[in-house]
Coordinates of all heavy atoms in Angstrom, one line a residue:
D53 N -45.5 -81.0 9.0 CA -46.0 -79.9 9.8 C -45.0 -78.7 9.6 O -43.9 -78.9 9.9 CB -46.1 -80.4 11.3 CG -47.1 -81.5 11.5 OD1 -48.2 -81.2 11.0 OD2 -46.9 -82.4 12.2
V54 N -45.6 -77.7 9.1 CA -44.8 -76.5 8.8 C -45.0 -75.4 9.6 O -46.2 -75.1 9.8 CB -44.9 -76.2 7.4 CG1 -44.0 -75.1 6.8 CG2 -44.6 -77.4 6.4
R55 N -44.0 -74.6 10.1 CA -44.1 -73.3 10.8 C -43.3 -72.4 10.0 O -42.2 -72.5 10.0 CB -43.8 -73.5 12.1 CG -44.0 -72.3 13.0 CD -44.1 -72.7 14.5 NE -44.3 -71.7 15.3 CZ -45.6 -71.2 15.6 NH1 -46.6 -71.8 15.1 NH2 -45.8 -70.2 16.4
R56 N -44.1 -71.4 9.6 CA -43.3 -70.2 8.9 C -43.0 -69.1 9.8 O -44.1 -68.6 10.4 CB -44.1 -69.7 7.7 CG -43.4 -68.6 6.9 CD -44.2 -68.3 5.8 NE -43.8 -66.9 5.3 CZ -44.5 -66.3 4.3 NH1 -45.5 -66.7 3.9 NH2 -44.0 -65.1 3.9
Q57 N -41.9 -68.7 10.0 CA -41.5 -67.6 10.9 C -41.7 -66.3 10.3 O -41.8 -66.2 9.1 CB -40.0 -67.7 11.2 CG -39.7 -69.1 12.0 CD -40.5 -69.3 13.3 OE1 -40.9 -68.3 13.9 NE2 -40.8 -70.5 13.5
P58 N -41.8 -65.2 11.0 CA -42.1 -63.9 10.3 C -41.1 -63.4 9.3 O -41.5 -62.8 8.4 CB -42.1 -62.9 11.5 CG -42.3 -63.8 12.7 CD -41.8 -65.1 12.4
G59 N -39.9 -63.9 9.4 CA -38.8 -63.5 8.4 C -39.0 -64.4 7.1 O -38.3 -64.1 6.1
G60 N -39.9 -65.3 7.2 CA -40.0 -66.1 5.8 C -39.4 -67.6 6.0 O -39.6 -68.4 5.1
A61 N -38.6 -67.8 7.0 CA -37.9 -69.1 7.1 C -39.0 -70.2 7.5 O -39.8 -69.9 8.3 CB -36.8 -69.0 8.2
L62 N -38.8 -71.4 7.0 CA -39.7 -72.4 7.3 C -39.0 -73.4 8.3 O -37.9 -73.7 8.0 CB -40.1 -73.2 6.0 CG -41.1 -72.6 5.1 CD1 -41.3 -73.4 3.9 CD2 -42.4 -72.2 5.7
D63 N -39.7 -73.9 9.3 CA -39.4 -74.9 10.1 C -40.3 -76.1 9.8 O -41.5 -75.8 9.9 CB -39.4 -74.5 11.6 CG -38.5 -73.4 12.0 OD1 -37.3 -73.3 11.4 OD2 -38.9 -72.6 12.9
A64 N -39.7 -77.2 9.4 CA -40.7 -78.2 9.1 C -40.2 -79.6 9.6 O -39.0 -79.8 9.7 CB -40.6 -78.3 7.6
D65 N -41.3 -80.4 9.9 CA -41.0 -81.7 10.4 C -41.6 -82.6 9.2 O -42.9 -82.8 9.2 CB -41.7 -82.0 11.8 CG -41.6 -83.5 12.3 OD1 -40.6 -84.1 11.8 OD2 -42.4 -83.9 13.0
V66 N -40.9 -83.2 8.4 CA -41.3 -83.9 7.2 C -41.2 -85.4 7.4 O -40.2 -85.9 7.9 CB -40.5 -83.4 6.0 CG1 -41.0 -84.2 4.7 CG2 -40.6 -81.9 5.9
T67 N -42.2 -86.1 7.0 CA -42.2 -87.5 7.1 C -42.4 -88.2 5.7 O -43.3 -87.7 5.0 CB -43.4 -88.0 8.0 OG1 -43.3 -87.5 9.2 CG2 -43.4 -89.5 8.0
L68 N -41.4 -88.9 5.2 CA -41.6 -89.6 4.0 C -41.9 -91.0 4.1 O -41.5 -91.7 5.0 CB -40.2 -89.4 3.3 CG -39.5 -88.1 3.1 CD1 -38.1 -88.3 2.5 CD2 -40.4 -87.3 2.1
T69 N -42.8 -91.5 3.2 CA -43.2 -92.9 3.3 C -43.0 -93.5 1.8 O -43.0 -92.8 0.8 CB -44.7 -93.1 3.7 OG1 -45.5 -92.3 2.7 CG2 -44.9 -92.6 5.1
G70 N -42.9 -94.8 1.8 CA -42.8 -95.5 0.5 C -41.4 -95.1 -0.2 O -40.3 -94.9 0.4
D71 N -41.7 -94.8 -1.5 CA -40.5 -94.5 -2.4 C -40.2 -93.1 -2.4 O -39.4 -92.7 -3.2 CB -40.9 -94.9 -3.9 CG -41.0 -96.5 -4.0 OD1 -40.5 -97.2 -3.2 OD2 -41.9 -96.9 -4.8

Side-chain angles (χ1 to χ4, degrees):
D53 290 317
V54 180
R55 187 160 180 83
R56 180 176 165 195
Q57 301 302 327
L62 289 183
D63 297 328
D65 180 23
V66 180
T67 304
L68 302 173
T69 57
D71 297 333

